[in-house]
Amino acid sequence: MEPLPSPEDEDRAELEAILQTSLEFGVRVQMSGGYTARVRDSMQRVATNLGADTAETWISSGSIGLVVHRGGWSRTSIRTTPAMGVNFTELSYLSRLAKRSAGMSIEAMRAELTAVAERDRRYPVPLVLVMLGVSCGSFAAIFGADPWGIGLAMLAGTAGAATRHFLHKRHFKPFIYCLIAALVSASVVCASASATTTFDAAVTASILFLIPGVPMLNGTADLLTSNYLNGLVRLTRAAVILLGAALGLALALAFWEQL
Amino acid sequence: MSSLWHVVWAAPGAAGFAMLFNVRKSALPLVALIAVLALFIATYSRELGLTVIASDFLAAFVVGAIAYTIGPRLGEASPVYAFAPVIPLVPGSKLANAFIDSFNTWLTHPGDSVETVRAFTEAATTGLSAAATVAALCLGAISPMLLLPRARTAED
C-alpha cells in the first residue's frame, strides 16, 4: 500500500501547478504581442494571486523563465515561446484576466487559459489582406497620390500582403518574405506606371504594409523600461524587415527601369 | 487649413493595421478616430512651423496619452489604441527615398568622386531624418506609459 501524500507533498504539488499556470500565462502574453514589462508584471501578479509568496522572472525573445517561492520552497521552470505574434484581442483579455485573478483558483485560471486558446477569433485572412491594401491606398493618398495612384497602391498592397502571408505560412524567414512581398507590390505599380502621374507616391505606399509597427513600438517600450537586450532584439528584427522591404523595392525599380 | 482634409485618410490606414493586429471590431472606430486626430495634430503643427520630428513626436505623444488613459477604462490593453494610430505618421516616402537614393548611387556613381560622396551624403541625410522621425514616433507613443508610474501598471 502506497503512503498517503503528506501535507508538504500537496503544498509542493500546488506550487508546481502555480508555476506552470503562471508560466503559461506569460507565454500567451508574449505570443499575443506584449512587451517585456507587461509579460513580467502579468506573470508575477498571476503567480502571487494564485498563492505564491514571491515570483521572479527571466524573459528573453525566445524563452520565459519563472521561479515561484512559498513557505521556504521554490520551483523553477523555463518555456520556449514559439513566435512573437500579435493578437491584441487576446492581449486585452489576458490583461483583464490578470487583474481579476485575485482569489481565483488554479483550476479556474487553467480553464480560462484553455478557453482563450480555443477561442482564437481572428478576422478572415482575405479581409485582412484587402484591408492592408486599403491601408496602402490611404498612405498613397496621404502622400498626395492621384486617384489612379491610390487604386494602384491599394491593389499592389493587397498583392504584396497576400505574398507575405503565403511565404510566412511556408516558414520563410522575415528578410526573405519581406523582400519578395515588396518586390511583388512594387512590380504591380511599376507595371502600370503610365496609369498615374504620381508614381513615386504610389510605389512607396504600396510596400508600407510591411512597416514593422509592433516590433518597433515594443522594442522602444522595452528600452524605456530598462529591458535593453529584448528591446535591441525587437528593433533588430524591425531593421531586418525594413531592409528586406527596401531591397525588394529597389530590385523592382531596377528591373522595371524606374530607378 | 485647406490641405487638412487629407487627414481623414489616416482612418482606413490605421484600421487596416488594427485588423492585422486583431483589434476587436468594437474598438476599430475609436482607433480610426485617434489616427485622424494624430495626423491632424502632426499636419497642423507643421503648418504652425514645428519641425517634422517635433510635430510627429507631439502627435504620437497625444496618441500614447489617450491610449494609456482610455485603454484600461474600456477594458482594452493600451497598445490597442496606441499602436495602429501612429502608423500613418511613419515617414514611408522618406525612408523609401533614402534607400532608393542609396541604391541609385551605388549603381550610377561608381568610384570615389565628389559627386558620389555628395549623392551618398544626401541619401544618408534623408535616411537619418526619416530614422529620427520614426524614433520620435516610437518615443512619443510609448513615453506616456512612464508618466504616473504609481497609477499605472505595465498591464494597462
Side-chain angles (χ1 to χ4, degrees):
Chain A
M1 199 174 124
E2 283 187 22
L4 289 170
S6 67
E8 275 192 348
D9 288 339
E10 285 176 4
D11 202 39
R12 272 178 270 172
E14 189 178 287
L15 194 57
E16 180 66 25
I18 292 170
L19 172 71
Q20 294 304 333
T21 308
S22 308
L23 203 50
E24 172 66 20
F25 196 98
V27 168
R28 295 216 72 86
V29 173
Q30 171 111 323
M31 283 169 61
S32 56
Y35 52 90
T36 305
R38 179 181 284 273
V39 178
R40 181 197 62 213
D41 287 9
S42 299
M43 275 201 295
Q44 285 178 336
R45 188 196 286 248
V46 169
T48 51
N49 281 347
L50 291 181
D53 291 339
T54 55
E56 296 159 45
T57 59
W58 178 86
I59 300 161
S60 81
S61 59
S63 56
I64 295 179
L66 179 64
V67 186
V68 287
H69 304 271
R70 186 166 76 178
W73 290 99
S74 68
R75 280 277 188 271
T76 306
S77 188
I78 294 175
R79 292 264 297 272
T80 55
T81 46
M84 286 196 275
V86 186
N87 184 346
F88 283 168
T89 297
E90 184 169 321
L91 190 67
S92 296
Y93 181 80
L94 291 169
S95 182
R96 293 193 297 272
L97 183 58
K99 286 175 183 172
R100 64 182 169 86
S101 61
M104 194 180 261
S105 69
I106 299 168
E107 291 73 28
M109 179 58 80
R110 277 178 186 273
E112 293 270 12
L113 286 176
T114 308
V116 171
E118 287 170 354
R119 194 176 43 211
D120 188 16
R121 283 189 201 133
R122 287 179 182 269
Y123 295 100
V125 172
L127 177 64
V128 174
L129 298 179
V130 169
M131 282 307 294
L132 282 176
V134 170
S135 290
C136 291
S138 306
F139 297 147
I142 291 168
F143 299 155
D146 60 15
W148 280 108
I150 294 170
L152 265 180
M154 219 176 265
L155 183 69
T158 306
T163 307
R164 177 179 67 170
H165 179 75
F166 177 82
L167 296 173
H168 182 253
K169 282 283 170 200
R170 276 148 192 80
H171 306 291
F172 281 89
K173 296 293 177 199
F175 180 76
I176 299 297
Y177 66 68
C178 289
L179 191 155
I180 298 174
L183 183 66
V184 169
S185 289
S187 293
V188 169
V189 180
C190 289
S192 319
S194 57
T196 173
T197 55
T198 50
F199 170 77
D200 284 351
V203 78
T204 303
S206 71
I207 64 158
L208 291 186
F209 66 90
L210 290 169
I211 289 173
V214 173
M216 282 196 312
L217 288 160
N218 273 343
T220 307
D222 281 349
L223 289 184
L224 293 181
T225 51
S226 309
N227 294 295
Y228 303 114
L229 199 56
N230 287 350
L232 289 178
V233 169
R234 290 184 205 267
L235 293 177
T236 305
R237 183 182 161 82
V240 167
I241 289 171
L242 283 175
L243 190 64
L247 201 56
L249 174 64
L251 285 174
L253 292 177
F255 179 78
W256 291 94
E257 296 178 351
Q258 296 281 357
L259 200 58
Chain B
M1 287 294 285
S2 58
S3 66
L4 287 179
W5 69 268
H6 80 281
V7 298
V8 295
W9 283 105
F17 273 87
M19 289 172 77
L20 178 70
F21 301 158
N22 203 33
V23 167
R24 268 200 295 192
K25 210 185 293 176
S26 58
L28 288 178
L30 197 47
V31 168
L33 194 66
I34 295 171
V36 171
L37 176 69
L39 191 57
F40 174 79
I41 291 170
T43 310
Y44 190 58
S45 46
R46 252 174 258 164
E47 285 194 3
L48 289 180
L50 249 62
T51 63
V52 174
I53 295 172
S55 55
D56 277 12
F57 176 82
L58 180 67
F61 188 86
V62 170
V63 170
I66 292 172
Y68 289 101
T69 306
I70 65 168
R73 290 181 190 180
L74 297 177
E76 301 282 1
S78 48
V80 166
Y81 300 114
F83 283 22
V86 296
I87 287 179
L89 301 175
V90 172
S93 57
K94 247 189 196 178
L95 279 172
N97 283 341
F99 280 114
I100 291 167
D101 289 349
S102 302
F103 286 119
N104 213 1
T105 309
W106 285 334
L107 291 174
T108 56
H109 293 80
D112 294 331
S113 65
V114 175
E115 210 180 322
T116 307
V117 173
R118 193 185 304 131
F120 259 124
T121 308
E122 278 176 20
T125 307
T126 312
L128 282 175
S129 167
T133 310
V134 171
L137 282 178
C138 293
L139 284 170
I142 297 298
S143 52
M145 172 180 80
L146 303 175
L147 306 173
L148 304 172
R150 283 165 193 266
R152 295 191 180 111
T153 71
E155 296 158 293
D156 283 339

